[in-house]
């Protein structure tokens, strides 16, 4: 695909952005696929989530070209990898790591904190309502910093207990358990589990 037309191959499930970033690693017919494998993939993913970043970081989809994203593509992948590592520990994820062996636990925490350099600022126009935006070092850098900042809030907040690994066959994703009956990242994974259980019952019989 040419620059500007690439569509991300990542699964976008409407999860919090740190989880969406973790979910840029998937399995396809038993092979691991990385949606951020190169600058084009990183650009396509940031463009796909720009509408969720824009209101708080001033990042617009037309600002996420490959030239702008290239300097931070490595940071985006590094953030993804440390988030998966920390999420696996937090959730007691029994699945093997999907990415190359990462840093130590201490190094992963230090990397996340180093990237979470976005800060909120009050915005209060005359005659309008007060709100806030985030500031950092440049649009693409700010996008990474903002997601890292959200990740710190997610991993330290009361809702961290809702973070789950999807244990359906051939799934590497994480999800936020927003309903007591939710057990899988998507209906497709739920269907695969039911099919596998049905096969196992009949195969055993």
């Amino acid at each position: 695909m040419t620059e500007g037309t690439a569509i991300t191959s990542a699964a976008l499930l409407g999860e919090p952005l740190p989880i969406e970033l973790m979910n840029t690693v998937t399995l396809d017919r038993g092979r691991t696929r990385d949606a951020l494998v190169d600058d084009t993939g990183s650009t396509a993913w940031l463009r796909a989530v720009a509408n969720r970043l824009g209101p708080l970081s001033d990042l617009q989809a037309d600002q996420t070209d490959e030239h702008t994203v290239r300097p931070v593509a490595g940071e985006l992948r590094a953030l993804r990898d440390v988030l998966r590592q920390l999420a696996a520990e937090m959730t007691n994820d029994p699945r093997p790591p999907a990415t190359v062996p990462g840093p130590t636990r201490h190094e992963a925490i230090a990397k996340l904190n180093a990237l979470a350099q976005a800060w909120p600022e009050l915005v209060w126009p005359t005659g309008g309502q007060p709100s806030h935006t985030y500031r950092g070092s440049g649009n693409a850098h700010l996008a990474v910093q903002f997601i890292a900042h959200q990740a710190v809030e997610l991993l330290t907040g009361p809702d961290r207990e809702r973070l789950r690994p999807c244990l359906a066959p051939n799934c590497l994703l994480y999800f936020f358990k927003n309903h007591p009956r939710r057990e899988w990242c998507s209906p497709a994974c739920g269907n695969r589990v039911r099919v596998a259980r049905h096969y196992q019952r009949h195969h055993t019989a």
Side-chain angles (χ1 to χ4, degrees), residues 126-148:
T126 302
Q129 296 296 318
S131 62
H132 69 279
T133 188
Y134 283 84
R135 300 299 181 200
S137 53
N139 285 329
H141 284 283
L142 177 56
V144 177
Q145 294 163 353
F146 176 62
I147 296 171

Side-chain angles (χ1 to χ4, degrees), residues 31-129:
R31 300 186 65 178
T32 302
R33 291 185 59 183
D34 183 354
L36 308 181
V37 68
D38 53 24
D39 296 343
T40 300
S42 298
T43 301
W45 186 82
L46 274 177
R47 185 181 296 117
V49 301
N51 64 322
R52 297 173 60 185
L53 288 164
L56 292 175
S57 68
D58 292 331
L59 181 70
Q60 305 300 322
D62 59 4
Q63 297 172 323
T64 53
D65 59 86
E66 196 166 319
H67 175 75
T68 302
V69 173
R70 185 176 296 115
V72 302
E75 290 184 352
L76 191 65
R77 287 188 288 270
L79 177 58
R80 187 267 314 280
D81 292 347
V82 300
L83 288 182
R84 288 190 64 92
Q85 180 178 341
L86 296 173
E89 178 178 342
M90 181 166 288
T91 62
N92 295 313
D93 188 351
R95 302 172 301 183
T99 54
V100 295
T104 66
R105 181 175 183 272
H106 176 76
E107 290 169 341
I109 293 171
K111 183 64 174 179
L112 174 57
N113 288 335
L115 290 174
Q117 299 300 312
W119 62 90
E121 288 187 351
L122 175 67
V123 178
W124 195 351
T126 302
Q129 296 296 318

